[in-house]
Amino acid sequence: MLSERELAFIAIHKDSYPSVYKFVCRRVESAHVAEEIAADVFRVVWQKWVDDSRPDLAYLLTIARNLVGNAYRSRDRRQALQEKLRTTAVQRFGDDSENVAVQEAMERLREKDRDILQLAYWDDLGISDIAAVLQCSESAAKVRLHRARAAFRKHMPAGADPTTEKMGV
């Protein structure tokens, strides 16, 4: 049986989620990111909600705006890091090297594919450790790594040698 607090929260979520989602969706690059941020808005509300007053839409949208800002900063830091890695590869190996091709292929990957490849090759983790970091089963980690490798190969230029040593740029 649900408590009064839980029932009230469900009502807030049901009434407000569409507005929060639309607000976030107009400000981010994908529906997937918008869904994550909108869900986080309600996580924050649940964690901070202490009294019986019902949070209004303005409060929810303020939380959403702050979370969107966090997402922008995170994206900008990630892009700056990728650019720094590419620049370092160009300086060390030249513009036409396979190391640069690796960096460019990594940039084109989805974030979750890039993350699992970095865990496997840059952080040198085994499947069991990758599974623990990703909070999934070992078989799921193997499948994800296999798919990420296949996606990586698709982004490598023809004739390039995407060996695992090259991924450690």
Side-chain angles (χ1 to χ4, degrees):
M1 178 132 163
L2 298 175
S3 70
E4 286 183 39
R5 181 176 189 256
E6 292 168 328
L7 291 172
F9 180 79
I10 290 168
I12 292 166
H13 186 274
K14 182 180 175 189
D15 294 343
S16 304
Y17 183 85
S19 297
V20 170
Y21 176 76
K22 287 180 206 172
F23 176 87
V24 173
C25 202
R26 288 190 307 269
R27 289 163 173 79
V28 296
E29 64 273 0
S30 74
H32 175 72
V33 172
E35 289 170 2
E36 286 184 8
I37 291 174
D40 279 347
V41 167
F42 291 95
R43 179 189 50 80
V44 169
V45 168
W46 178 258
Q47 290 173 336
K48 294 187 181 245
W49 191 25
V50 291
D51 58 10
D52 291 335
S53 67
R54 181 182 172 107
D56 62 358
L57 185 58
Y59 176 70
L60 298 175
L61 296 182
T62 300
I63 294 170
R65 187 186 75 228
N66 292 338
L67 292 174
V68 167
N70 291 346
Y72 286 162
R73 285 185 290 281
S74 178
R75 180 200 60 204
D76 292 347
R77 282 191 302 269
R78 186 174 50 254
Q79 288 173 342
L81 175 61
Q82 291 297 328
E83 183 55 35
K84 181 178 179 182
L85 290 171
R86 185 189 186 292
T87 301
T88 301
V90 168
Q91 289 172 347
R92 289 176 66 193
F93 305 109
D95 222 1
D96 295 329
S97 81
E98 289 177 353
N99 291 295
V100 174
V102 167
Q103 286 300 325
E104 290 173 350
M106 290 292 284
E107 286 175 27
R108 289 187 208 108
L109 292 175
R110 296 180 308 169
E111 185 174 352
K112 68 183 198 174
D113 290 339
R114 186 172 43 248
D115 287 345
I116 197 165
L117 289 173
Q118 288 171 338
L119 288 170
Y121 295 104
W122 294 9
D123 298 323
D124 200 27
L125 297 181
I127 289 295
S128 61
D129 292 329
I130 291 171
V133 170
L134 298 178
Q135 298 178 334
C136 66
S137 67
E138 287 187 27
S139 59
K142 286 178 187 177
V143 168
R144 289 180 188 181
L145 183 57
H146 173 76
R147 289 179 181 160
R149 286 174 177 152
F152 175 77
R153 280 190 294 274
K154 286 180 186 176
H155 290 294
M156 285 297 291
D161 177 24
T163 59
T164 57
E165 296 85 39
K166 301 273 196 245
M167 294 189 70
V169 173

